Amino acid sequence: MKLNKVVVSVIGVATVLLLAWHSRVNAEVVTVQQPGVLERAERALERDDPAGAVALLQDRVVDLRRTSYRSDAYGILCRAHYQLGEYVQAEQACDLALDSGGKAIAWSHLNNRGVMRMAQGRLEEAIADFHAAQRINPRARSVRSNLAMAERLKRAQPMKVSAAY
C-alpha cells in the first residue's frame, strides 16, 4: 500500500514537470509594448534562467504602474518559481497575477496555479482551477490535458479507511 502511494506520487510529480506550460502564450503578451524589465525577465525564462527572471522582477513588480504589467510580471514570477521547484511561491505569484487584473490571460494564470496545486498534491483545488480556466477558454488544450491528469491522479489515490475499535 505504501509502495503504491510512493509510485503514484513519483509518477504524479514527473508528470507535472512535463505538463504543458504557457511560456509561449505569455511571451507573446509580454513582447507587445511592455516595459523592458518584463521583456528581459521573459527572455531569462526562455534561456532557462528562472533565477535571473526572479532577480529581475522580485523588487520591481510593485513599481509597475499599469495593472496589466503587474499581472504579466507576477505571471512570469509564477513560471520562474515553478521552474525552480518553488511551488508555494509559484502559487502565490499566480494568485497575485489573478488579483492584479490579468483578465486577458486569466485562464492561463488559473491553469498555472492549478499546476502548482497539483504539484503540491492539492488535487481538489487544482481541478477547480482547471475547470475555471476551461470556462474562460474552453479551447485550451493544455487546460484539458492538465484537468485529465489531475482527475486521473485523484482516482489513483488510495481511499482512507478508518479502523473500528
Side-chain angles (χ1 to χ4, degrees):
M1 180 78 134
K2 186 173 184 177
L3 180 61
N4 185 26
K5 188 174 183 179
V6 170
V7 170
V8 169
S9 296
V10 169
I11 290 171
V13 169
T15 305
V16 167
L17 295 175
L18 296 174
L19 289 171
W21 194 253
H22 297 302
S23 61
R24 185 61 59 204
V25 170
N26 287 333
E28 292 168 4
V29 172
V30 169
T31 57
V32 179
Q33 303 285 322
Q34 296 288 3
V37 67
L38 293 179
E39 205 169 315
R40 288 191 304 278
E42 186 66 51
R43 299 301 167 250
L45 283 181
E46 289 174 3
R47 289 189 316 272
D48 198 27
D49 181 18
V54 170
L56 280 166
L57 293 175
Q58 194 71 35
D59 298 323
R60 299 175 85 179
V61 176
V62 293
D63 295 334
L64 296 170
R65 292 177 188 248
R66 292 180 60 185
T67 57
S68 62
Y69 294 165
R70 280 194 300 275
S71 178
D72 291 343
Y74 285 125
I76 293 169
L77 283 171
C78 173
R79 294 176 14 246
H81 284 297
Y82 170 80
Q83 288 180 13
L84 291 168
E86 300 168 344
Y87 302 132
V88 173
Q89 294 93 326
E91 180 185 359
Q92 291 168 348
C94 286
D95 287 341
L96 291 168
L98 286 163
D99 293 344
S100 296
K103 300 209 185 321
I105 56 172
W107 70 270
S108 178
H109 297 315
L110 285 163
N111 183 63
N112 293 346
R113 185 174 69 183
V115 170
M116 297 316 121
R117 289 176 170 176
M118 190 164 46
Q120 296 173 61
R122 295 165 43 209
L123 298 176
E124 290 291 333
E125 293 170 279
I127 289 169
D129 279 343
F130 297 140
H131 279 297
Q134 197 171 46
R135 280 191 296 277
I136 296 169
N137 186 355
R139 298 169 74 184
R141 254 187 290 170
S142 57
V143 173
R144 287 194 309 270
S145 171
N146 291 341
L147 177 59
M149 176 59 63
E151 289 174 341
R152 275 195 302 272
L153 287 171
K154 182 179 174 197
R155 284 191 303 272
Q157 285 185 336
M159 292 177 45
K160 296 178 183 173
V161 179
S162 300
Y165 290 100

